[in-house]
């Protein structure tokens, strides 16, 4: 039995060259890395990575167009801190820089996910590793 794809290939209505693969995005940062936002004054530790944008369209449209990041890049979930508070941030790769401060991040959720801070990065707890 032929699938619709097989039928389309046989009758010439479908050409595999019409298929465009999504771009391959490579994450610059890893879980446990300490990073700093390129535009805003906050830093954080990476606790999850989406290979491409995976938040709501409403969230995305709320970002001013002149600073809105591309969707086709890794986005990082951060346990973040600034001078006033600790929070969770969702940030595009283009807006993150490696934090060379060498200091730990002071977020209350860190001890639940990570087991210590060594050599400028956090080590994921064994029970959270895949």
């Amino acid at each position: 039995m032929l699938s619709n794809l097989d039928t389309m290939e046989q009758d010439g209505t479908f050409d595999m060259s019409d298929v465009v693969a999504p771009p391959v995005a490579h994450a610059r940062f890893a879980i446990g890395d300490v990073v700093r936002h390129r535009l805003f004054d906050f830093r954080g530790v990476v606790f999850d990575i989406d290979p491409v944008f995976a938040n709501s369209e409403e969230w995305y449209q709320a970002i001013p167009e002149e600073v809105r990041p591309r969707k086709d890049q890794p986005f990082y979930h951060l346990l973040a801190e600034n001078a006033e508070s600790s929070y969770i941030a969702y940030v595009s790769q283009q807006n993150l820089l490696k934090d060379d401060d060498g200091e730990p991040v002071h977020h209350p959720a860190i001890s639940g996910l990570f087991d210590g801070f060594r050599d400028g990065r956090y080590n994921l707890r064994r029970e959270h590793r895949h």
Side-chain angles (χ1 to χ4, degrees), residues 20-112:
V20 178
V24 176
H26 297 282
R28 269 189 227 134
F29 306 106
I31 292 173
D33 284 351
V34 178
V35 294
R36 179 174 299 283
H37 197 282
R38 184 174 63 87
L39 303 173
F40 303 112
D41 190 24
F42 72 87
R43 57 196 294 267
V45 58
V46 176
F47 73 89
D48 196 11
I49 305 167
D50 294 333
V52 294
F53 179 79
N55 207 332
S56 71
E57 189 61 25
E58 180 182 8
W59 182 92
Y60 186 74
Q61 293 300 323
I63 301 169
E65 192 170 350
E66 62 274 7
V67 294
R68 193 176 296 152
R70 297 179 334 273
K71 290 182 175 181
D72 64 343
Q73 63 181 311
F75 276 72
Y76 298 83
H77 299 261
L78 307 177
L79 297 177
E81 68 176 0
N82 61 25
E84 291 83 40
S85 65
S86 297
Y87 51 95
I88 293 181
Y90 189 65
V91 185
S92 65
Q93 181 163 275
Q94 76 187 58
N95 284 322
L96 289 178
L97 303 169
K98 183 178 184 299
D99 184 88
D100 293 323
D101 190 347
E103 296 296 317
V105 173
H106 303 288
H107 190 287
I110 285 178
S111 63

Side-chain angles (χ1 to χ4, degrees), residues 5 9 12-21:
L5 181 59
E9 285 179 328
T13 59
F14 181 79
D15 182 354
M16 284 302 285
S17 65
D18 292 334
V19 176
V20 178

